[in-house]
Amino acid sequence: MFLIGQYDSPFVRRVAIALRIYGLPFEHRPWSTFGDADKIAPYNPLRRVPTLVLASGEAVIESTAILDALDELVGPEVAMMAGRGETRRRQLRICALGSGLADKAVSLIYERVLRKEQLALWVERCQTQIGGVLEMLEKEREAIPTPYWFGERIGHADIMIACALRFTSEAHPALFDARYPALQAHAARCEALPPFQEILQRLDPPKG
C-alpha cells in the first residue's frame, strides 16, 4: 500500500506515524495538493491528503477513516483506539479537538499566504478557536499523571495532538508558546520517539 501526501501535513503525518508504530510497510508518495493535484485525483477526486491506497487498490480517504481501517487490520489488542464504549468516545473527543486545532491552523496559514488582503474577521475567528482549544487541552493534560493521554501506552489521541501542536508551533509560533507547558511537555515526549523523528518534514507553506 502507499500513502499520498507530504509529511508537513499534520494529518498525513499522524497516519504515517501510526503505520510505523504498527509496523505496517508502506510506500510514500509525497504529492502536494497544489503541485500534484492531478496525480491525486484518480485516487481521491477531492484532491486532498492523506489518501491511503491499500494493496487491493481501494483508496481510503480522511485520516480518521484511514486509522480506523488500520485498527481493523492490526486487531483490537494492538489498535491504538478502544473498540467501543466510553473510553473510545473520550479518545475520539481528544482526536477531534486535535484535528480541529490542526484544521484551524491550516486555514489560518492559507489565509495568510493565499490572500493579498487578509479577512480580519476570519483571522480573528481562527485565532480564537485555536486559543480556546489550546486552553482546554492544556487544563486536561495538566491533570493527567500518566505519560500519555489515556495511560502508559501511546494512542491515536497522543499522535494527533502532537502533530497538531508541531504544525501550529511552526505555522503560528505566537499562538503556541510558554502559556501551555503541559502541552509542550506532551509534544516533546512524543517527538522524542523514533517514529516521530523519522516521519518529519519542516513546514513549507504554499506560495500565493
Side-chain angles (χ1 to χ4, degrees):
M1 58 184 169
F2 58 89
L3 176 64
I4 298 172
Q6 298 188 358
Y7 290 155
D8 60 355
S9 160
F11 303 103
V12 176
R13 190 176 183 226
R14 75 180 293 212
V15 171
I17 289 171
L19 283 163
R20 280 287 183 265
I21 292 174
Y22 283 157
L24 296 172
F26 69 98
E27 297 177 14
H28 179 216
R29 301 192 182 179
W31 296 341
S32 164
T33 54
F34 283 83
D36 303 303
D38 290 341
K39 294 180 181 178
I40 300 171
Y43 304 100
N44 183 347
L46 291 170
R47 295 164 167 80
R48 296 182 65 180
V49 297
T51 296
L52 182 68
V53 181
L54 305 178
S56 64
E58 177 186 359
V60 188
I61 64 174
E62 202 275 323
S63 63
T64 299
I66 293 171
L67 294 175
D68 189 61
L70 296 180
D71 287 350
E72 285 190 1
L73 186 61
V74 300
E77 293 186 359
V78 177
M80 291 187 287
M81 174 76 70
R84 58 185 300 177
E86 180 184 356
T87 299
R88 179 179 175 84
R89 292 193 297 274
R90 291 169 56 218
Q91 291 172 331
L92 285 171
R93 173 180 171 273
I94 299 300
C95 284
L97 287 171
S99 178
L101 170 62
D103 182 64
K104 289 302 171 181
V106 170
S107 295
L108 192 55
I109 202 170
Y110 282 173
E111 181 71 20
R112 187 175 74 218
V113 302
L114 297 181
R115 281 184 184 268
K116 292 181 179 180
E117 296 183 8
Q118 297 181 37
L119 182 60
L121 181 62
W122 178 248
V123 171
E124 181 181 357
R125 177 177 173 81
C126 287
Q127 290 177 340
T128 299
Q129 290 171 303
I130 289 171
V133 171
L134 288 173
E135 289 175 11
M136 177 175 287
L137 290 174
E138 173 69 16
K139 290 179 182 179
E140 295 192 21
R141 190 65 182 96
E142 186 179 24
I144 297 171
T146 53
Y148 298 106
W149 218 285
F150 293 94
E152 301 292 326
R153 180 182 169 216
I154 195 170
H156 290 314
D158 301 292
I159 298 170
M160 182 69 259
I161 295 297
C163 290
L165 291 176
R166 185 177 191 99
F167 182 90
T168 303
S169 68
E170 291 185 355
H172 316 291
L175 299 182
F176 179 55
D177 53 22
R179 290 171 292 174
Y180 309 105
L183 288 179
Q184 288 185 332
H186 176 87
R189 180 179 293 110
C190 292
E191 294 289 352
L193 299 174
F196 284 80
Q197 295 183 5
E198 177 187 356
I199 308 296
L200 181 61
Q201 178 182 341
R202 297 292 298 181
L203 177 63
D204 183 20
K207 306 299 188 293

